[in-house]
Amino acid sequence: MGLSTTQDAEQQRAFEELKNSIGPRSTIILPEDSNYNDSKRIWNAMFDNKNPSIILQATGVADVQVAIHYAQRVGVVVTPRGGGHSWAGFSTVEGGVVIDFCKMRSVHVDPILQTVTVEPGVLLGELDHETQAFGLAVPVGVISHTGVFGLVLGGGVGWLCRKYGGSVDNIISANIVLADGRFVKASKTENADLFWAIRGAAQNFGIVTSLTIQAHPVGLAYRGSYVSTELHRSPSHLIQFYPMDQIEEVLHAINEFQKTAPREYNCEVYNRGRIDGSSEMFLKICYSFYLPQEEAEKAAEPLKEIGRPIEHSWKWITHVENQKIFDMESPHHRRYYAKSGSINFDDMNSHFVDAFKWGVANLTSPYCMVEMIGLGGAMKDSSAEHAAFFPLRSQDWLVNVVASWNNDVPAEEDQKHIEWCRESFQRLHTKNPGYINMFADACRDTMQERLSRAFGNNLNQLRLVKRRYDPYNFFRHNVNVLPATDEDLETESTFSNE
């Protein structure tokens, strides 16, 4: 019997064991199955060409354990998929095993302890729906069809981050399956080193099967949010437009306001066209105040004096509505490519404004955007050593450049959109790292350079934790932290086992 035949027989035996070991409600989807093409797709259509060998729709921890065992036995990569919203395509993998958590979507709210425990298939909109039933909310992102786990474990910023910190700062504990199949809990008191590491670099250490997160009181119904509305009123769009010739005045004014703004406030600034299909671009600004009405109106007064918007109006909406207002900006199955950085207040200079204008003036698609999201407040209350995640701890603005275009264009057109994104981002000259979930298309050397910028002095400690929990780098389909080597420990004084 030849080597290839022996290998095929072994892989077949491993697959039969996998089939016989999964839960009764679990499903295995193979390339020959009629639902394979739909099942393999993720949010970012840039990765529609990826073809996993197996998609396992898991229903519990046991499924995760047998999937890891199978992948190790046949020598393929395994990757988890929660919401499938990975910018860099980590929710799928060519030739490997995708553990799809679409059947694991329970949300349990404890209104007494004000905590929420979620499974890995839960989306932000589902989390918001359940927590708001108890007058609670978790500080998460602002696109409701995003998966909770990828966003929370990678950092997570949104309307509430200035008040309650980043999503990652609100994790209380996690259940994790390690590369050797062990099921462990990580918290401040159990496997504290692992708990520290997963908050910012989770996929490097295991597959998280449950998260318990701190929730906070956020009013029901019309106590949720105070935002400006656009010309074309609808339940999910609550924004205001400025002509682009006012960009310098408006950006500087908002930058000044942000310096002393209450923590209950945040804003997002980006370019967009009008809903009527006009090709003209406008500066689009969304403000939110999580304050009582009288306080919110008083705090918002300076914003009403900025520039000359096309229309200036205000409306009370629910928190759940506020969490959905960007859903239409980032629909499923477009192609996306993004770069991310961050700046301080002092970096909002004429060079930055000119670079912002250049990006908008040279758009390659009406869906492309240059975006700013407010940081600060409670984000700065934790030190860089509090968790593995820290690149946005000391910054004032997250700056993203997002290329987005329709999926029905020839693939050879992708490059012009990618080059626009790279050029626009380079011109902005953001000195500091941005959102790690937007890291993409880097070779290993470049990725390690980016990791050094993103994690700073935390990187060496991360590599030690990686060595302890995944010494052979089984979990490598991610923003990959390499395990510390024996040589590292012998030659690098910066490595410490403390």
Side-chain angles (χ1 to χ4, degrees):
M1 182 180 291
L3 179 60
S4 177
T5 305
T6 302
Q7 288 175 333
D8 289 345
E10 170 60 22
Q11 288 187 358
Q12 186 60 38
R13 282 194 296 270
F15 178 67
E16 291 300 322
E17 286 187 20
L18 174 67
K19 285 199 303 182
N20 294 330
S21 300
I22 62 174
R25 294 187 301 107
S26 308
T27 305
I28 289 176
I29 300 173
L30 302 174
E32 59 265 30
D33 293 332
S34 60
N35 59 343
Y36 175 79
N37 285 335
D38 287 338
S39 300
K40 74 169 186 167
R41 297 186 77 186
I42 63 173
W43 166 76
N44 188 351
M46 284 280 281
F47 302 96
D48 281 354
N49 61 339
K50 301 299 181 184
N51 297 290
S53 61
I54 291 176
I55 301 170
L56 170 59
Q57 293 179 344
T59 57
V61 170
D63 287 345
V64 176
Q65 291 173 317
V66 298
I68 289 173
H69 177 69
Y70 168 81
Q72 291 178 333
R73 187 171 172 182
V74 302
V76 298
V77 173
V78 65
T79 195
R81 182 165 79 199
H85 221 277
S86 170
W87 287 90
F90 294 137
S91 305
T92 188
V93 60
E94 179 67 30
V97 176
V98 171
I99 303 177
D100 185 351
F101 289 112
C102 63
K103 294 184 178 182
M104 294 178 65
R105 299 174 83 154
S106 73
V107 180
H108 174 73
V109 180
D110 186 326
I112 306 301
L113 296 178
Q114 296 188 349
T115 62
V116 55
T117 299
V118 295
E119 288 189 314
V122 176
L123 306 182
L124 300 190
E126 296 166 337
L127 175 66
D128 291 329
H129 174 74
E130 294 295 331
T131 53
Q132 275 286 276
F134 299 93
L136 300 171
V138 172
V140 290
V142 295
I143 299 172
S144 70
H145 51 75
T146 305
V148 171
F149 276 38
L151 181 129
V152 170
L153 291 164
V157 298
W159 296 124
L160 297 172
C161 70
R162 286 171 44 80
K163 176 65 175 177
Y164 297 118
S167 305
V168 72
D169 299 323
N170 289 271
I171 298 174
I172 297 172
S173 65
N175 292 335
I176 309 167
V177 179
L178 303 177
D180 60 9
R182 283 183 297 148
F183 174 76
V184 300
K185 183 175 182 178
S187 68
K188 289 182 179 179
T189 57
E190 297 180 69
N191 299 302
D193 57 344
L194 182 60
F195 181 62
W196 174 86
I198 64 168
R199 291 177 294 155
Q203 288 190 358
N204 279 277
F205 303 98
I207 295 182
V208 180
T209 58
S210 177
L211 281 176
T212 298
I213 311 170
Q214 187 67 55
H216 303 273
V218 170
L220 293 166
Y222 291 94
R223 293 174 56 81
S225 173
Y226 194 56
V227 300
S228 59
T229 60
E230 68 172 277
L231 287 170
H232 309 274
R233 294 173 185 265
S234 68
S236 60
H237 275 304
L238 301 154
I239 56 178
Q240 98 190 126
F241 281 86
Y242 285 93
M244 289 303 296
D245 60 9
Q246 297 182 41
I247 183 172
E248 185 162 7
E249 174 189 357
V250 172
L251 288 184
H252 284 306
I254 292 174
N255 193 46
E256 286 301 312
F257 180 84
Q258 195 88 0
K259 293 177 181 179
T260 58
R263 292 188 172 199
E264 294 81 2
Y265 156 89
N266 207 356
C267 78
E268 298 204 17
V269 182
Y270 59 110
N271 62 280
R272 264 300 176 257
R274 295 268 291 277
I275 291 178
D276 60 13
S278 168
S279 61
E280 184 178 2
M281 280 287 154
F282 295 84
L283 191 66
K284 196 174 185 181
I285 307 178
C286 304
Y287 310 104
S288 281
F289 288 85
Y290 284 82
L291 287 168
Q293 181 171 357
E294 197 171 300
E295 292 180 44
E297 290 176 350
K298 182 178 180 181
E301 284 300 323
L303 296 174
K304 298 177 183 179
E305 305 302 320
I306 295 175
R308 299 165 302 286
I310 295 172
E311 181 170 303
H312 195 106
S313 58
W314 298 80
K315 181 181 178 182
W316 287 91
I317 60 172
T318 67
H319 175 67
V320 171
E321 288 174 325
N322 201 29
Q323 288 289 93
K324 296 178 180 179
I325 68 173
F326 294 115
D327 284 6
M328 290 197 301
E329 309 284 5
S330 302
H332 284 83
H333 308 317
R334 275 197 200 142
R335 297 182 194 177
Y336 295 93
Y337 181 90
K339 294 288 187 181
S340 182
S342 57
I343 63 172
N344 294 319
F345 290 132
D346 291 344
D347 298 320
M348 184 76 73
N349 52 32
S350 58
H351 173 86
F352 180 87
V353 174
D354 288 344
F356 195 116
K357 288 193 288 188
W358 186 93
V360 177
N362 291 275
L363 299 178
T364 52
S365 158
Y367 309 122
C368 295
M369 72 167 78
V370 183
E371 172 189 44
M372 294 168 48
I373 302 172
L375 301 172
M379 293 281 290
K380 294 187 177 184
D381 289 347
S382 298
S383 68
E385 295 77 26
H386 169 69
F389 169 83
F390 83 94
L392 304 178
R393 292 273 186 224
S394 60
Q395 312 309 316
D396 298 309
W397 292 100
L398 173 64
V399 181
N400 300 324
V401 179
V402 179
S404 173
W405 60 103
N406 286 329
N407 195 32
D408 57 0
V409 299
E412 53 267 25
E413 291 191 20
D414 291 355
Q415 198 59 34
K416 72 176 182 181
H417 302 292
I418 292 171
E419 289 303 324
W420 169 84
C421 180
R422 290 172 174 167
E423 176 70 13
S424 298
F425 184 73
Q426 184 177 8
R427 285 172 176 267
L428 288 166
H429 192 56
T430 58
K431 302 174 185 176
N432 304 299
Y435 197 35
I436 196 168
N437 283 354
M438 287 184 171
F439 279 19
D441 76 340
C443 65
R444 171 160 287 186
D445 290 344
T446 303
M447 183 62 77
Q448 293 307 307
E449 292 172 2
R450 293 185 184 184
L451 286 169
S452 295
R453 289 186 66 212
F455 291 115
N457 293 333
N458 287 348
L459 181 57
N460 287 339
Q461 185 63 27
L462 276 171
R463 294 187 63 197
L464 287 172
V465 179
K466 178 75 168 179
R467 177 186 173 98
R468 189 170 300 133
Y469 291 96
D470 185 21
Y472 302 107
N473 200 24
F474 175 69
F475 296 111
R476 59 190 179 274
H477 188 61
N478 46 46
V479 181
N480 194 216
V481 174
L482 299 177
T485 65
D486 291 341
E487 184 178 6
D488 288 329
L489 299 180
E490 291 172 2
T491 61
E492 294 290 335
S493 60
T494 52
F495 279 88
S496 170
N497 285 303
E498 296 180 359

